[in-house]
Amino acid sequence: MSSTTHSSNIQASYIQLRNISQSFALNDTKVTLFEQLNLTIRQGQSYAIMGPSGAGKSSLLMLMSGLELPSSGQGVYVKDGVKGKQESSLEALRPDIGFIFQQFHLLPELTALNNVALPLKLRGDKEAISKAKVMLTKVGLQDRIHHNPNELSGGEQQRVAIARALVFEPRFIFADEPTGNLDEKSAGDIANILLNCCKDSNAALIMVTHSQVLANKAEHVFNLTHDGLTQLKGYNTKIGHLEAAC
Amino acid sequence: MLITSRALIESRTLLERTKLAWQFYRQEYHLPQQRLLRWTQTILLIFMLALTQSSFSVQQYLTQNLQGLLGADAKISQRQPFTNQQVNDLSEQVKELVATQQIKINFSHQDSWQYISLKAVADSYPLQGELLTATSLAGNTEQSLTGPKQGEIWFDSRLFASFNLKTGDIVHIAKQEFVFTKLIKHEPDRLMAGHNVAMRAMINIADMAKLNFSENLINYRYLLALDSTQLSSLQDWQQQHLPAAQLVHKQGNHPLALFWQRTENFIGLASIILFFMAAIAIEQIALKHQNKEQYFSAVCMSLGASKSTGIVVSILKWCFSLLLLLPIALLAAAACHWLIIHYLTDNFPNLQWQWHYGLSLKTLAFISLIFALFYLPVWYSLLNSSVGKLFTSAKNTGSNFGQKLVSVAVLVIVVLAYSDNALLTMMLVGAMLVTIVLILLLSWLVLTLGEKFTQNLSGLLPFVFFMMKQRLVSKSTQILGVGLSAFLLLFTLMLMHDLGKTMSSYQRQHDGNLMVSKATNDQLSYLKNWASEHNIIIRQNKSYMQAKLIEINEQSLAEHTDKPSDSLATFSREIRMHWNNQLPSNNRLLSGTWWQADSDNWQQVSVEQEVLTDMGLSLGDELTFIISGQRYSFIITASHEFKPGNGSITFWIQIPTAAIAHIQANHYSMASLEVSEQQQPLLAELWQKFPTLRMVSLQQMTERFDNLLAMITKVISGFSMLIILLAGIVILASINAVEANEQKKNSIIMSFGFNRMTCLKLNIIEWLITAMIAAAGAIVGTYLAGLLIYKSQFSLNYQPDFVWLFVTLFIILASVTSLGIIASRKSLNSSIRQLMTE
């Protein structure tokens, strides 16, 4: 495992959902996804959300990331920085989040290196390329940096996507079925890389998954159904030893 | 039996495929790219259908009029009197002949004057057809069996009205007295005499002799009645005995038909520009179609269908799309055709609206073929589709350079075959190619340097450069589409703007306001004295003699080339041949060497560059002219072109001064004068003295020019509207082609923690860079096209008004950027959720 590059003064940032409900109208009928949920996501820890299709896992992910608003309830972002703790709405979370998708969503015309450098370039980082190289090395793709996405396997593409999501050092990573498109072996490798890299970057990892294997690797596991959110695995549960890059 | 069942299966399969194609066509009907494709095709269909229908109507009108209104089966004319022997020979070869003579004079009566065409006819006139006359404007029209008697003069209605005459009035021409007796309503040989708008008067041929006009100013003409068997022997006789004479017959091309053909070619060139625009639009749309159709074909194959299924369904869908456009396009084209015919009835009386079914089918077939050609890359790509592509999900984002090159080459061939003016077409195609290369080069240079130099800057600009550079191929295609549209639009608008402004101001500045196009030496010396007496400035004065080109490298003109062109049409008449020892100050030497003043070799000639190209001539070729009935040969040793700034009197054909000693011919002069408003009445005196002095006042010049300009402006305005429409479509198509990619890019950017405002800013910066590169290409392309085309094709001194040019360009690009941003709003309307659901 590689060493962390983060200072300890940002460890305590967290997202808190208070009595959150989400519903929408479909053909004049109100469809309720979930009601009165309470959840706290802490930076540096890993979370897996499981549950049947249509239970609202992706919607919960969107709410947590502040990209969608709940029908009722409140979401807050408590940021612990050099000025101490500051509470704000989830909209303020935007600069501190990154996403990983089931379909990878790399830009096909860019090489692996340029895909990873993209978020840094957007932030005007003059060392974007060198940082992207370091990140790609961390996910074990140092030999494939100049390859285009269509020249990479699914597992390799997802590794590029992980590198891209982590390279700008977000505090929270949201992953939607990150291993859903991969075979068992690749899925295992990706899961380890993902969890290790997030740990190493001191980022919270929030995954939506159907994979029990992946979920078991998270520190906290929740099951989301129409009846509510049930915690299957909590703070006292030790996670298994992870061996992979990062 | 086996064959029958197979045919049955195949027909069933075709039916099923047709049903499938229909179903998909309906499903895709409202997709943006389908809508853009329909717009592009509809505009071109309407344009081409209306154009071909209208031109065919005019051609048919001309042919019908030639059949009934020529007044003779053939006409032979020349600038010298026919000898008695020649007339005898001629009369032996035809059934009947009638002599006429025509001269252009300045006719003055009381204090008014008018440049008129005076025709003298023999007693046996008219030969064929009806000569219609009247005694007053409102009076009854009656048929006259002969022309005017000696001492009588007839005027046409316009001349009659402009001089406020009444029957019985006495008028004078060259001090001879004539009694005005009749109004000419219709001359049967009018069309045969050529397209001429001058006011007309008619006298008896015996009176012409009394007027004592110089022989070489008169056009001697015989109207001939003959049958088709006599025509070829007459042509041979004319070639042999009167090579400088002009023989026009019913079966040949009429001057008016040639005039219309040239107008048609100009519009043809306009349609070529539209074709290029459509090609760009369809190319952009096809890129998106390609992936979609390939995906569909692969799905079909994965379900057990053959490869041909995808192709057949795609072709059937394309056919449905085209067929369903036809009713709208045909109706709109019929309406446009009606409007054009209505507009042309001023120039072509009694021209009637008529729909030519066979022609419309031919046009439709031709356009469908062109559309199919544009769409061919999509079908070609289906040949390469495979089920494997479904697994790899690799999209064909780039496009095949080879295919594009072939499409462009075919398009250029079509363009060249379509236009009769190879030089103009090549100039436009050349300017377009330079613009394309320039835009591609600029795109690469700006994006590469932009990325390199902004690397150390913060903000969104470096990111935009980085992304654009990474997507160089797709971005260049988009910039190219926008740039070419901007170039074509800007050039059209500039031509419309400058045609009026530059030409009129330039001519007034350098040429004075009175142009003498033909003055004999006596007339010129009198003119010089008269000018100095009245303090009138002669701005320019150049000598020439009249010559008729008859052979090129010992081949007749007809043998040398059968391709109609402006130059060939002019060479069918006498042209002006200028002599000098030095290259004129308003000419530029383009190839060869100009002769030395002391050179013994007088048989050298310099030919104007455009004429050289049009006629397919080169240095070293031999030109044979008839000058005053004698043959003279010259070798082309140089070519020249007009250089603006030192007066506009220039000549196509120039020979050394030394040649004058060897050629016995009358010398004439062209001159330009500046006559003030107060001095205008002095002109009446001048014309009274010399009725044959050919002068055109500024008023007359601008009137003709304004009429021409009004017609050109209407044509170009209509054309600009279509260009603007197609330019809009090209931009929308280029945005639509990359919309899915843009949407994805925006979603991904948002997944990095950015909001929509950042995406909008990126979008604006990207469109500004796109517009700036396209603008640079467009402005250089327009400048180049102006430099090439203005001078040679419109005789305009190209003095681009850069302020106007930049303001127009700014407006175009502001519209482009705004349209780009508005049209891209859908791609901004993306979300991370979409990425999750994909």
Side-chain angles (χ1 to χ4, degrees):
Chain A
M1 280 168 76
S2 60
S3 63
T4 175
T5 54
H6 292 265
S7 56
S8 57
N9 61 351
I10 54 165
Q11 286 187 357
S13 296
Y14 61 91
I15 299 166
Q16 199 164 50
L17 303 182
R18 297 168 190 162
N19 298 320
I20 291 277
S21 300
Q22 186 67 312
S23 57
F24 60 90
L26 182 69
N27 299 331
D28 298 330
T29 314
K30 187 182 173 188
V31 179
T32 302
L33 288 174
F34 44 78
E35 284 180 304
Q36 301 292 316
L37 288 190
N38 289 294
L39 180 64
T40 302
I41 305 291
R42 291 186 185 281
Q43 190 185 347
Q45 303 205 8
S46 54
Y47 300 82
I49 299 167
M50 300 185 73
S53 298
K57 298 188 294 295
S58 295
S59 294
L60 184 60
L61 209 64
M62 295 300 284
L63 290 181
M64 278 192 268
S65 60
L67 293 171
E68 282 179 8
L69 289 173
S71 307
S72 67
Q74 193 194 8
V76 291
Y77 173 37
V78 180
K79 188 172 180 178
D80 194 3
V82 282
K83 290 180 186 171
K85 283 191 176 176
Q86 285 178 311
E87 187 176 309
S88 51
S89 73
L90 287 180
E91 277 181 27
L93 189 62
R94 187 60 79 90
D96 294 331
I97 57 171
F99 278 85
I100 295 165
F101 306 96
Q102 184 179 1
Q103 300 286 353
F104 327 131
H105 291 308
L106 302 175
L107 290 177
E109 59 272 55
L110 303 190
T111 60
L113 181 65
N114 284 330
N115 260 296
V116 177
L118 206 61
L120 294 174
K121 290 256 179 197
L122 258 172
R123 286 170 167 81
D125 192 326
K126 290 159 196 167
E127 289 164 18
I129 295 291
S130 57
K131 284 183 181 174
K133 276 184 188 165
V134 171
M135 205 64 215
L136 278 167
T137 309
K138 280 185 180 177
V139 296
L141 288 178
Q142 61 274 22
D143 299 329
R144 313 297 299 266
I145 57 174
H146 295 303
H147 288 241
N148 278 344
N150 59 3
E151 295 162 344
L152 301 173
S153 69
E156 286 169 330
Q157 287 191 51
Q158 194 60 301
R159 283 202 243 179
V160 177
I162 292 168
R164 187 180 66 178
L166 285 163
V167 74
F168 60 98
E169 298 172 357
R171 292 166 194 246
F172 300 90
I173 295 285
F174 297 92
D176 179 42
E177 295 283 4
T179 57
N181 248 2
L182 304 173
D183 62 65
E184 209 174 315
K185 168 78 173 64
S186 297
D189 290 347
I190 289 298
N192 290 342
I193 290 170
L194 185 58
L195 283 154
N196 278 338
C197 285
C198 287
K199 193 53 107 183
D200 198 40
S201 304
N202 193 29
L205 173 65
I206 306 101
M207 302 181 285
V208 163
T209 183
H210 286 116
S211 162
Q212 194 62 56
V213 180
L214 177 63
N216 285 343
K217 296 190 179 193
E219 289 162 284
H220 308 274
V221 180
F222 294 92
N223 188 36
L224 180 67
T225 61
H226 291 301
D227 299 328
L229 192 67
T230 320
Q231 183 155 11
L232 303 177
K233 187 176 170 186
Y235 289 108
N236 299 324
T237 313
K238 284 187 178 176
I239 57 166
H241 182 64
L242 303 172
E243 261 185 59
C246 282
Chain B
M1 188 64 189
L2 187 69
I3 293 169
T4 320
S5 60
R6 179 178 286 176
L8 196 68
I9 291 165
E10 275 177 9
S11 67
R12 253 187 217 157
T13 314
L14 186 66
L15 189 70
E16 290 307 314
R17 284 172 179 178
T18 311
K19 279 183 186 168
L20 196 61
W22 175 249
Q23 186 196 333
F24 277 97
Y25 166 74
R26 294 281 305 274
Q27 276 177 10
E28 292 171 4
Y29 187 81
H30 292 290
L31 288 180
Q33 68 264 31
Q34 287 291 353
R35 201 175 299 142
L36 292 173
L37 188 66
R38 282 200 298 275
W39 269 98
T40 313
Q41 292 181 334
T42 311
I43 289 172
L44 267 187
L45 274 171
I46 295 171
F47 181 77
M48 291 304 292
L49 279 168
L51 183 72
T52 46
Q53 290 289 322
S54 302
S55 19
F56 189 72
S57 289
V58 173
Q59 297 281 18
Q60 210 177 35
Y61 167 87
L62 290 172
T63 314
Q64 279 163 3
N65 278 275
L66 286 173
Q67 300 294 328
L69 296 170
L70 284 178
D73 295 318
K75 177 208 80 173
I76 188 162
S77 62
Q78 65 174 20
R79 286 272 168 195
Q80 289 171 306
F82 290 75
T83 62
N84 287 337
Q85 181 62 43
Q86 285 167 345
V87 176
N88 286 339
D89 287 353
L90 196 59
S91 59
E92 277 171 19
Q93 295 186 67
V94 298
K95 290 179 189 164
E96 215 178 328
L97 58 82
V98 172
T100 71
Q101 294 168 5
Q102 199 154 13
I103 186 167
K104 288 191 174 161
I105 59 165
N106 281 303
F107 170 70
S108 57
H109 180 64
Q110 292 163 351
D111 285 335
S112 310
W113 59 270
Q114 194 60 253
Y115 190 60
I116 66 164
S117 169
L118 180 68
K119 180 161 143 183
V121 297
D123 292 331
S124 49
Y125 179 84
L127 178 69
Q128 291 172 358
E130 292 181 336
L131 174 63
L132 301 176
T133 56
T135 48
S136 68
L137 278 176
N140 287 338
T141 303
E142 56 188 40
Q143 188 178 353
S144 294
L145 298 173
T146 59
K149 294 183 176 56
Q150 286 191 41
E152 280 183 11
I153 188 163
W154 295 358
F155 290 131
D156 74 351
S157 312
R158 282 194 301 156
L159 188 58
F160 170 79
S162 69
F163 280 88
N164 204 15
L165 291 159
K166 54 185 186 300
T167 48
D169 279 356
I170 305 290
V171 298
H172 291 91
I173 298 174
K175 299 194 175 140
Q176 288 286 322
E177 206 169 82
F178 289 92
V179 185
F180 167 60
T181 52
K182 278 182 184 174
L183 258 174
I184 309 168
K185 288 284 186 177
H186 173 69
E187 291 165 76
D189 57 329
R190 175 85 193 268
L191 271 175
M192 192 67 112
H195 182 63
N196 191 337
V197 291
M199 295 184 184
R200 308 169 71 78
M202 192 185 279
I203 56 170
N204 191 282
I205 204 160
D207 287 333
M208 189 69 130
K210 292 178 196 162
L211 292 174
N212 278 327
F213 290 133
S214 170
E215 282 180 350
N216 48 51
L217 295 174
I218 299 172
N219 195 2
Y220 295 88
R221 182 184 297 153
Y222 281 92
L223 300 174
L224 312 169
L226 44 78
D227 57 43
S228 53
T229 54
Q230 291 169 313
L231 183 64
S232 60
S233 62
L234 181 69
Q235 281 173 322
D236 292 342
W237 176 82
Q238 180 255 326
Q239 290 279 337
Q240 211 176 340
H241 295 94
L242 293 166
Q246 195 187 21
L247 182 70
V248 175
H249 54 88
K250 269 184 181 176
Q251 282 81 29
N253 269 340
H254 186 265
L256 197 58
L258 275 177
F259 162 79
W260 172 248
Q261 198 186 355
R262 284 197 288 274
T263 313
E264 215 180 20
N265 286 335
F266 175 79
I267 301 169
L269 188 74
S271 61
I272 286 157
I273 293 181
L274 282 175
F275 266 119
F276 273 114
M277 299 278 291
I280 301 167
I282 294 176
E283 200 272 337
Q284 300 271 330
I285 297 165
L287 191 67
K288 194 161 180 178
H289 274 233
Q290 201 162 310
N291 289 326
K292 206 172 161 53
E293 304 268 311
Q294 265 186 329
Y295 180 76
F296 171 75
S297 180
V299 169
C300 286
M301 281 192 277
S302 75
L303 299 173
S306 66
K307 190 174 265 188
S308 67
T309 306
I311 300 173
V312 171
V313 170
S314 177
I315 292 173
L316 286 171
K317 261 195 314 186
W318 180 84
C319 290
F320 282 134
S321 166
L322 192 65
L323 282 172
L324 290 169
L325 283 184
L326 292 186
I328 305 162
L330 285 167
L331 272 175
C336 290
H337 174 40
W338 184 85
L339 284 172
I340 294 168
I341 294 294
H342 186 69
Y343 171 60
L344 286 176
T345 42
D346 287 347
N347 292 319
F348 300 95
N350 303 323
L351 183 66
Q352 302 246 316
W353 185 92
Q354 195 191 345
W355 190 259
H356 312 282
Y357 292 94
L359 182 72
S360 55
L361 281 176
K362 218 167 105 181
T363 314
L364 282 176
F366 173 72
I367 304 175
S368 307
L369 197 72
I370 293 281
F371 286 160
L373 179 78
F374 291 159
Y375 211 73
L376 209 58
V378 175
W379 295 324
Y380 179 74
S381 74
L382 293 185
L383 283 174
N384 299 325
S385 69
S386 67
V387 183
K389 292 226 165 124
L390 286 178
F391 299 120
T392 55
S393 73
K395 283 184 179 176
N396 185 8
T397 47
S399 46
N400 192 322
F401 185 71
Q403 282 172 27
K404 275 185 188 166
L405 211 64
V406 171
S407 304
V408 169
V410 173
L411 204 60
V412 170
I413 292 166
V414 171
V415 162
L416 284 174
Y418 201 82
S419 166
D420 86 320
N421 193 334
L423 186 66
L424 175 59
T425 311
M426 286 316 290
M427 279 174 175
L428 191 79
V429 172
M432 279 184 77
L433 288 178
V434 171
T435 311
I436 289 171
V437 171
L438 191 84
I439 290 176
L440 289 177
L441 202 71
L442 266 178
S443 303
W444 180 81
L445 209 67
V446 169
L447 299 184
T448 308
L449 293 179
E451 192 205 8
K452 194 173 165 61
F453 289 115
T454 56
Q455 252 173 7
N456 294 324
L457 298 175
S458 54
L460 296 176
L461 190 65
F463 176 78
V464 174
F465 272 121
F466 168 74
M467 279 305 287
M468 288 179 84
K469 175 72 198 310
Q470 296 299 321
R471 300 164 144 194
L472 191 61
V473 175
S474 61
K475 265 291 141 196
S476 303
T477 315
Q478 195 179 45
I479 295 171
L480 203 61
V482 176
L484 277 179
S485 306
F487 155 57
L488 294 171
L489 186 59
L490 193 65
F491 179 66
T492 314
L493 294 176
M494 184 181 75
L495 187 64
M496 192 165 72
H497 172 257
D498 287 354
L499 256 177
K501 202 179 155 207
T502 316
M503 189 172 173
S504 53
S505 67
Y506 173 77
Q507 288 214 333
R508 273 161 226 209
Q509 190 183 332
H510 295 283
D511 292 341
N513 58 3
L514 189 76
M515 180 76 85
V516 176
S517 59
K518 190 174 188 179
T520 60
N521 286 344
D522 291 347
Q523 288 168 344
L524 186 71
S525 56
Y526 184 86
L527 192 70
K528 280 180 178 170
N529 290 335
W530 175 82
S532 67
E533 233 174 72
H534 296 101
N535 207 18
I536 289 168
I537 307 156
I538 297 183
R539 290 250 161 108
Q540 289 179 84
N541 166 29
K542 290 189 179 178
S543 306
Y544 69 91
M545 54 194 167
Q546 285 188 306
K548 167 91 174 61
L549 179 68
I550 53 160
E551 283 173 12
I552 297 167
N553 294 332
E554 297 181 351
Q555 279 186 318
S556 72
L557 295 191
E559 283 168 336
H560 177 76
T561 177
D562 55 355
K563 203 173 173 218
S565 68
D566 281 355
S567 308
L568 187 63
T570 308
F571 277 127
S572 67
R573 301 185 294 274
E574 282 185 321
I575 49 102
R576 298 183 177 105
M577 184 183 258
H578 177 58
W579 60 87
N580 53 43
N581 274 335
Q582 279 181 331
L583 183 70
S585 58
N586 64 348
N587 280 181
R588 183 184 292 130
L589 184 70
L590 286 186
S591 61
T593 47
W594 207 261
W595 43 83
Q596 298 296 314
D598 53 358
S599 168
D600 290 337
N601 180 10
W602 59 272
Q603 286 175 301
Q604 302 183 60
V605 67
S606 176
V607 181
E608 206 274 337
Q609 181 63 35
E610 193 200 343
V611 178
L612 209 72
T613 314
D614 252 9
M615 299 289 293
L617 297 170
S618 50
L619 296 183
D621 282 350
E622 186 189 63
L623 304 182
T624 306
F625 293 92
I626 291 277
I627 306 169
S628 279
Q630 298 293 314
R631 288 170 66 98
Y632 298 95
S633 292
F634 298 87
I635 302 293
I636 303 174
T637 54
S639 75
H640 62 271
E641 69 169 7
F642 176 69
K643 186 174 79 181
N646 288 302
S648 65
I649 299 180
T650 185
F651 297 86
W652 281 8
I653 304 289
Q654 303 187 35
I655 54 168
T657 308
I660 298 307
H662 303 268
I663 301 170
Q664 297 300 314
N666 290 312
H667 294 174
Y668 304 99
S669 293
M670 280 184 88
S672 63
L673 300 86
E674 181 68 43
V675 182
S676 69
E677 192 69 39
Q678 292 77 22
Q679 292 165 326
Q680 290 286 336
L682 296 170
L683 296 175
E685 176 206 325
L686 198 64
W687 281 313
Q688 196 71 48
K689 171 90 178 156
F690 295 117
T692 59
L693 183 66
R694 288 195 192 170
M695 278 193 184
V696 187
S697 76
L698 185 69
Q699 199 185 356
Q700 269 185 312
M701 265 166 56
T702 52
E703 191 185 336
R704 283 179 201 173
F705 171 70
D706 289 346
N707 288 340
L708 184 73
L709 190 68
M711 189 173 149
I712 292 176
T713 308
K714 276 185 194 173
V715 170
I716 297 181
S717 306
F719 170 51
S720 305
M721 284 309 295
L722 288 173
I723 292 260
I724 289 171
L725 252 173
L726 270 183
I729 289 176
V730 167
I731 293 162
L732 291 177
S734 67
I735 291 166
N736 187 259
V738 293
E739 193 178 83
N741 286 347
E742 286 297 306
Q743 206 162 9
K744 188 172 174 181
K745 186 191 85 182
N746 288 333
S747 299
I748 291 171
I749 286 170
M750 284 199 268
S751 82
F752 299 153
F754 291 93
N755 55 20
R756 281 206 176 87
M757 186 48 81
T758 311
C759 294
L760 178 69
K761 282 181 193 164
L762 289 172
N763 208 285
I764 291 172
I765 298 172
E766 197 167 320
W767 268 104
L768 281 174
I769 296 172
T770 302
M772 271 156 60
I773 300 173
I779 208 111
V780 174
T782 306
Y783 181 80
L784 192 71
L787 210 62
L788 288 170
I789 294 169
Y790 266 49
K791 227 182 320 169
S792 71
Q793 302 297 318
F794 294 95
S795 309
L796 282 180
N797 176 26
Y798 184 53
Q799 290 172 319
D801 179 350
F802 280 105
V803 175
W804 181 90
L805 214 56
F806 278 109
V807 168
T808 314
L809 189 70
F810 177 77
I811 294 168
I812 293 174
L813 293 176
S815 317
V816 165
T817 313
S818 314
L819 186 63
I821 293 165
I822 292 166
S824 312
R825 71 189 186 285
K826 199 177 164 192
S827 68
L828 285 171
N829 201 15
S830 54
S831 71
I832 295 171
R833 190 184 263 280
Q834 279 172 341
L835 292 182
M836 288 187 187
T837 51
E838 264 183 37

